[in-house]
Amino acid sequence: MLKTRPPLLYAACAALLALVGATATAPGAVAGPGLTQAASSARAADIPTPEQHFGFAMGTEGKLAAYPDVLRYMKLIAERSDRVDYQAIGPTTMGNEYGTVIISSPKNLRRLDRLVEINQKLADPRRTTPEEARRLAAEGVPFYHLEATIHSSEVGNGQAINDIVHRLATEDSDFTRKVLNNSVVVLVPSQNPDGQHLIIDHFNRTAGTDYRRTYPDLYHKYTGHDDNRDWTMFTQVEARYRLALEKKYRPAIVHIMHQKGNTGSRIFVPPYGGITSENVPANMTTSVSAIGQHAARALAAAGKTGVGSLDYHIFWTLEQPVGYFPFTGSGVYLTEIASVTDYAYPQVSSDGRPLGPQQARMSLVEPYRSHTWTLADIVDYAKIATYAGMEYTADNGEKLLYDNLFAVPHEYLTKGVPSGTFAFVVDAEQRDPYATFEMLQRLEWTEVEIDRATSPFVADGKRHEAGSYVIRMHQPRGNWAHQVLGADRYPEVRDCGDCPVLLPYAEATTSLPLQLGVDVAEVRTPFEAQMERVTSVQPPQVTMPAAPGPKGAYLVRPESYGTVQIVSALQDANITTFRGGRAFRAQGADYPAGTYIVPATPQARNVLATASAKVGLPVTATDRAPKVPGVQLKPKTRVGLLRGVGNMPGGWDMWQFDQYGINYDVVGAQDFQRKSLNELYDTIVVSSGVSRDDIVEGLDPAEYDEAYSWAYGVGEKGWRKLQQFVRDGGTLLAIGDSVQTAQQLLDLPMKPALPEDDDEFTTGGSLLNQEFDPNHPVAWGMPESWPVWLYDTQAWELTDNSGQVVSNYPAEGEVLASGYLRGAEHIRGAANVVSFTVGKGQVVTYGSEITFRSLPRSQFNLLYNAIYHGPAAEVDATALQQLRPRFGPDRTVAPR
């Protein structure tokens, strides 16, 4: 069993609170005050070059500067240069240091607080008139946020920044004087420091061995390559650090340095391609397009070819690097540079032909004519593109500060959003108060103004009670609020009649209410209501009821996905927990099937009081436990997560289990050496994307040493042990793509319902309506209908009647709830969640990816119900009313 550790949340949160409180030539510029040649020469003598510090020049074949050495270099430069400051922001998920480097002229660094104050005033048009904004824009300078290696295998940019910082710290030239005097650079050396440790440490450790140089697993503990797709829920501490930097410094331009595959152009610079959301301000797109073309000219002047543009469809949803930035007035300048072999070795054309496309066109004016591409090329292209972005920002500071930083929020404050939506109303009474809290909390984190009604009101003909929340679109963050609260209809746009639809990477919608399970009304007609501003979003306050008598019990309703945190606490404390198998009535209130029933002991009361307060979900009590049949949860249910090496859905599942307190271990190859997997686990969850080959073949021991032995293949014998785990009474849960693996494993009577041809069926990552059976234990607490997330996985058709359909897509009516759907006729009536009995065990298959990036939280209970229900013991109505446990210190029963 592979043990896991939760992230350093407390230290990270404290750091967040504290935070909020070099060789390419560039065109010349007029020098400003503050820098002198003598001072520069003195500094240059004191500061070693990157080659002197690291022992090799940046871009040297087969050499990568380790991240701790990079931070030491940044700190050394900050100690010896009055142009550079270093700030340690806080610990990362794995406890490494997340730092930033502030670079500007000494004069600007001395008045940094004033420059930040100017940006804060510009970003809030409630505090600043247009006339004052123009004066402030003339006084201030723009901030240039530069960010490297969020994707940690894209190592070239992490090398280039060492040359960039050295140049700005030591060089005395027209270019450096202009950039330093007329801007402030906020450099994040790595948006994912943990990944730099993992990737580069592995690369350096395997030098001179026969092992593969490329790191095989997730380069962020939880999210891997998905760490730049966390811009709505901000689940990871690194995403929250970036959000805090944006809110503190208000950069006019954000330059996100990426790499890409090695078959296309050598570098991508804006303008972008595809379509854009109406919520993204037009001047965000135009200003960044101008920067991209400025960079293209600089690259051409330096003799660099293969410069592409009009690609990367990043402005519809928030999954790509853009996130929150463009909605605030920050222009997002994305560069993507072609990669090489194994991070640091030349990419050589296999056929001797030049690399990349060779037809000149407007999106690739001059093709790359060489058959070789090196790490040194990556470093050179990165530096030139970065210097061009800095120069453009320094040259256009006043315009960027006024037209972007001030004008964008001012437009939404005065005009509202283009759709004509007046407000969103979140009713006071919700099925899931915890989901409502999490949604409002994310709005608060992103500076959305939230009001609460103090009396009933009517909007668009519907009455809303006092306590309802109102988010008006006439506010500085109205466009962001509309982006994350509204339902989407992704347009069918093609580049030509026969061309495929221009779809985003994986998400055609960002609707938080539908993902979390919150009822939200979009109101288009202005209305009046008595309201007060919400100054702090907190979970609902709950208090424990009076302790019932000795025959009584505590009750917890099952609708909220936050309930599992209460159940986890009960599991950890080894407290007897039942679930009612049918709806019942107690103390004058109705309770649905699946309600948790806990004997009223003092220990249970203490655990319930703490856990319920954390999530804001009420606990009630009854003087006599209900007389209904049900189940008793197995104490300390043992959960295994079969995630596969390098599997991002499995990483997200780890995060989810850690956050919600699930008692789990990652299933390792060593576990299959046991006589039976049932010795270790009651339930095994198979993350989406785990194939038969991942299990049977796994990693090759000849290519990866024992540090990765948990991911070695288990062979056909191990495959049969997984089969036997279920037949002997284990519970197996398969998510998304792994349903096919479960079907192969156990010959489940089901077949795919959807065609493979995208022209016949595709969603682009969307929310589709779903019908649930709330009386089935897997769907306890679910509504009769609510959308589920579907992206690139299957719906299913049963081939016999042995499986129980827990949820299915509607046979009639609208299938699409938000996003994009082509070929609805193929999915109508198809099964999504199905439960099977196999031998003594249980199998549940989830065709849709119910844990996708932790976003579709309204579906989480489908997973948690099954995790605990499979190993549970059935109890009849009399036993449950008497709270007579089937599991206990001197009694055990076989799982259901």
Side-chain angles (χ1 to χ4, degrees):
M1 292 185 291
L2 185 68
K3 290 292 184 182
T4 60
R5 288 186 308 162
L8 305 174
L9 290 178
Y10 297 110
C13 289
L16 278 170
L17 291 172
L19 174 59
V20 174
T23 59
T25 58
V30 177
L35 295 174
T36 66
Q37 186 171 356
S40 175
S41 299
R43 281 191 295 271
D46 292 338
I47 298 173
T49 65
E51 184 172 3
Q52 291 168 335
H53 178 80
F54 295 103
F56 54 88
M58 298 297 95
T60 299
E61 178 181 323
K63 297 287 187 178
L64 293 175
Y67 189 67
D69 292 337
V70 172
L71 287 192
R72 280 191 286 272
Y73 188 52
M74 298 297 160
K75 293 174 183 178
L76 183 150
I77 294 176
E79 289 173 0
R80 300 183 182 182
S81 171
D82 57 0
R83 304 177 187 181
V84 180
D85 284 337
Y86 179 86
Q87 298 176 2
I89 303 303
T92 62
T93 297
M94 296 176 68
N96 293 306
E97 185 172 311
Y98 184 106
T100 60
V101 182
I102 313 298
I103 310 168
S104 193
S105 69
K107 177 182 177 181
N108 283 339
L109 292 180
R110 286 193 297 270
R111 65 174 187 140
L112 189 65
D113 289 345
R114 172 56 182 166
L115 295 175
V116 171
E117 180 187 19
I118 288 171
N119 284 358
Q120 293 290 347
K121 287 183 176 180
L122 288 169
D124 186 356
R126 296 190 192 280
R127 300 168 54 190
T128 312
T129 65
E131 294 74 23
E132 184 182 4
R134 292 200 178 277
R135 292 194 296 272
L136 290 170
E139 179 186 352
V141 299
F143 281 56
Y144 187 91
H145 178 108
L146 179 63
E147 176 183 299
T149 66
I150 186 170
H151 289 159
S152 299
S153 58
E154 300 166 8
V155 295
N157 294 304
Q159 309 299 295
I161 59 171
N162 298 297
D163 284 345
I164 292 169
V165 175
H166 178 265
R167 181 186 185 190
L168 293 177
T170 62
E171 183 180 280
D172 183 39
S173 67
D174 288 344
F175 167 76
T176 54
R177 282 193 293 270
K178 174 166 59 176
V179 169
L180 295 170
N181 288 333
N182 298 340
S183 68
V184 175
V185 176
V186 179
L187 166 65
V188 177
S190 176
Q191 176 61 21
N192 178 18
D194 295 346
Q196 287 298 282
H197 279 271
L198 295 170
I199 290 279
I200 297 180
D201 290 355
H202 175 86
F203 180 85
N204 290 334
R205 183 169 61 88
T206 53
T209 72
D210 292 331
Y211 292 121
R212 286 180 62 94
R213 307 297 301 277
T214 53
Y215 182 70
D217 202 10
L218 298 174
Y219 51 65
H220 179 279
K221 177 179 178 178
Y222 294 122
T223 66
H225 190 80
D226 271 351
D227 58 358
N228 71 330
R229 314 186 205 286
D230 188 29
W231 307 136
T232 53
M233 291 302 290
F234 302 97
T235 64
Q236 305 304 308
V237 66
E238 294 84 2
R240 296 195 291 276
Y241 286 152
R242 189 217 252 191
L243 177 63
L245 287 169
E246 149 66 25
K247 291 161 65 175
K248 177 177 181 179
Y249 291 117
R250 309 291 185 186
I253 296 297
V254 176
H255 181 183
I256 302 173
M257 307 171 77
H258 273 272
Q259 286 173 233
K260 54 178 183 165
N262 52 36
T263 59
S265 63
R266 298 300 88 191
I267 186 173
F268 164 84
V269 295
Y272 303 111
I275 65 172
T276 184
S277 167
E278 64 180 8
N279 292 313
V280 176
N283 57 347
M284 293 297 92
T285 304
T286 55
S287 62
V288 174
S289 295
I291 290 181
Q293 292 308 288
H294 187 70
R297 288 193 296 271
L299 287 158
K304 305 299 184 183
T305 58
V307 180
S309 60
L310 298 174
D311 201 351
Y312 290 88
H313 311 161
I314 69 171
F315 277 144
W316 175 259
T317 58
L318 314 175
E319 60 187 2
Q320 294 273 11
V322 293
Y324 180 58
F325 284 125
F327 296 84
T328 68
S330 296
V332 178
Y333 170 39
L334 170 68
T335 53
E336 293 262 3
I337 305 175
S339 296
V340 291
T341 301
D342 291 348
Y343 309 144
Y345 293 95
Q347 183 74 24
V348 181
S349 172
S350 59
D351 57 8
R353 297 178 181 178
L355 292 166
Q358 294 301 300
Q359 176 59 57
R361 54 194 301 178
M362 291 305 295
S363 59
L364 184 73
V365 175
E366 188 174 5
Y368 184 72
R369 300 303 189 188
S370 173
H371 69 290
T372 302
W373 180 251
T374 68
L375 180 62
D377 291 325
I378 295 174
V379 170
D380 282 345
Y381 276 58
K383 290 190 293 187
I384 296 169
T386 300
Y387 296 144
M390 289 177 176
E391 181 180 60
Y392 181 93
T393 302
D395 280 341
N396 295 276
E398 187 173 341
K399 187 173 294 186
L400 290 170
L401 288 174
Y402 185 86
D403 292 347
N404 288 9
L405 207 57
F406 173 77
V408 166
H410 185 265
E411 177 181 359
Y412 296 103
L413 175 65
T414 55
K415 297 180 182 179
V417 296
S419 68
T421 302
F422 180 74
F424 288 91
V425 178
V426 184
D427 281 330
E429 295 297 324
Q430 295 282 339
R431 286 187 72 258
D432 191 343
Y434 184 66
T436 306
F437 156 70
E438 287 213 303
M439 185 185 78
L440 294 175
Q441 182 189 57
R442 269 51 179 195
L443 294 178
E444 180 185 46
W445 286 357
T446 50
E447 305 173 293
V448 173
E449 295 169 352
I450 306 167
D451 294 311
R452 184 190 294 110
T454 56
S455 61
F457 64 96
V458 175
D460 275 358
K462 179 183 176 182
R463 176 183 169 91
H464 301 275
E465 299 301 324
S468 295
Y469 296 95
V470 177
I471 298 96
R472 288 179 284 197
M473 298 297 97
H474 284 76
Q475 62 165 294
R477 298 293 174 260
N479 58 334
W480 171 262
H482 190 268
Q483 181 74 23
V484 297
L485 293 178
D488 298 297
R489 284 294 182 270
Y490 189 91
E492 186 148 329
V493 177
R494 305 170 188 264
D495 283 338
C496 66
D498 296 329
C499 293
V501 173
L502 296 174
L503 291 175
Y505 179 82
E507 294 180 55
T509 179
T510 51
S511 177
L512 285 182
L514 294 180
Q515 290 172 339
L516 303 186
V518 183
D519 284 314
V520 173
E522 184 173 3
V523 179
R524 302 186 68 84
T525 306
F527 63 88
E528 295 293 331
Q530 294 181 339
M531 293 183 287
E532 60 184 6
R533 180 60 44 84
V534 175
T535 57
S536 178
V537 174
Q538 300 293 334
Q541 290 189 346
V542 293
T543 56
M544 287 292 292
K551 295 183 179 180
Y554 295 110
L555 306 176
V556 180
R557 298 181 65 91
E559 291 94 341
S560 173
Y561 64 79
T563 302
V564 71
Q565 297 184 56
I566 300 177
V567 177
S568 298
L570 293 169
Q571 285 268 309
D572 286 345
N574 202 21
I575 292 173
T576 300
T577 305
F578 299 90
R579 299 192 78 175
R582 292 200 305 256
F584 62 88
R585 190 170 178 82
Q587 304 295 112
D590 293 322
Y591 291 85
T595 294
Y596 295 90
I597 303 166
V598 183
T601 65
Q603 184 189 19
R605 182 179 181 85
N606 289 337
V607 172
L608 287 169
T610 300
S612 64
K614 178 182 176 182
V615 292
L617 297 173
V619 175
T620 56
T622 177
D623 292 336
R624 188 170 180 81
K627 190 176 182 179
V628 294
V631 296
Q632 182 197 347
L633 303 190
K634 183 177 181 181
K636 293 186 176 293
T637 301
R638 303 165 304 166
V639 181
L641 180 64
L642 187 56
R643 71 172 181 88
V645 70
N647 178 271
M648 287 184 290
W652 284 107
D653 291 342
M654 285 196 302
W655 177 85
Q656 184 177 323
F657 286 179
D658 279 342
Q659 294 301 304
Y660 290 0
I662 305 300
N663 176 30
Y664 82 102
D665 291 295
V666 171
V667 179
Q670 295 84 351
D671 296 344
F672 288 83
Q673 297 172 9
R674 295 288 190 107
K675 181 178 180 181
S676 170
L677 289 169
N678 304 77
E679 297 175 13
L680 299 175
Y681 303 112
D682 302 306
T683 298
I684 292 178
V685 179
V686 187
S687 297
S688 185
V690 176
S691 69
R692 186 184 191 280
D693 281 349
D694 292 331
I695 298 170
V696 174
E697 302 297 332
L699 287 183
D700 185 348
E703 295 185 342
Y704 292 98
D705 64 21
E706 290 187 359
Y708 311 103
S709 61
W710 68 273
Y712 289 169
V714 301
E716 294 295 336
K717 184 178 180 180
W719 180 254
R720 290 191 295 271
K721 280 190 177 183
L722 189 58
Q723 292 174 331
Q724 200 61 39
F725 165 78
V726 179
R727 300 188 189 282
D728 287 347
T731 297
L732 186 75
L733 312 178
I735 303 173
D737 286 343
S738 295
V739 172
Q740 182 177 356
T741 305
Q743 197 275 336
Q744 293 174 322
L745 179 74
L746 298 161
D747 194 24
L748 299 176
M750 57 197 305
K751 63 181 182 180
L754 303 178
E756 295 183 2
D757 189 344
D758 286 348
D759 287 337
E760 293 187 58
F761 181 89
T762 188
T763 66
S766 298
L767 290 157
L768 307 185
N769 289 318
Q770 189 88 164
E771 297 172 348
F772 300 95
D773 177 6
N775 293 314
H776 192 285
V778 174
W780 278 344
M782 295 297 293
E784 291 186 355
S785 62
W786 195 263
V788 299
W789 177 265
L790 189 68
Y791 168 64
D792 205 24
T793 58
Q794 264 290 350
W796 294 88
E797 177 184 337
L798 300 188
T799 57
D800 66 24
N801 295 323
S802 62
Q804 295 177 291
V805 176
V806 179
S807 76
N808 58 269
Y809 298 94
E812 299 179 351
E814 182 65 65
V815 177
L816 179 64
S818 186
Y820 177 81
L821 176 63
R822 183 194 305 132
E825 65 274 11
H826 295 290
I827 202 170
R828 289 190 186 278
N832 181 25
V833 182
V834 186
S835 177
F836 301 90
T837 298
V838 179
K840 297 178 182 179
Q842 302 289 315
V843 178
V844 181
T845 60
Y846 305 87
S848 66
E849 197 174 336
I850 60 170
T851 56
F852 180 78
R853 298 182 188 160
S854 83
L855 290 172
R857 302 187 179 197
S858 63
Q859 302 154 52
F860 281 5
N861 279 341
L862 295 166
L863 180 64
Y864 295 129
N865 285 340
I867 283 175
Y868 292 118
H869 186 77
E874 291 183 350
V875 293
D876 60 27
T878 301
L880 196 151
Q881 187 178 44
Q882 296 175 0
L883 301 175
R884 189 167 63 239
R886 295 282 306 278
F887 292 108
D890 29 337
R891 72 170 69 228
T892 59
V893 299
R896 297 178 67 252

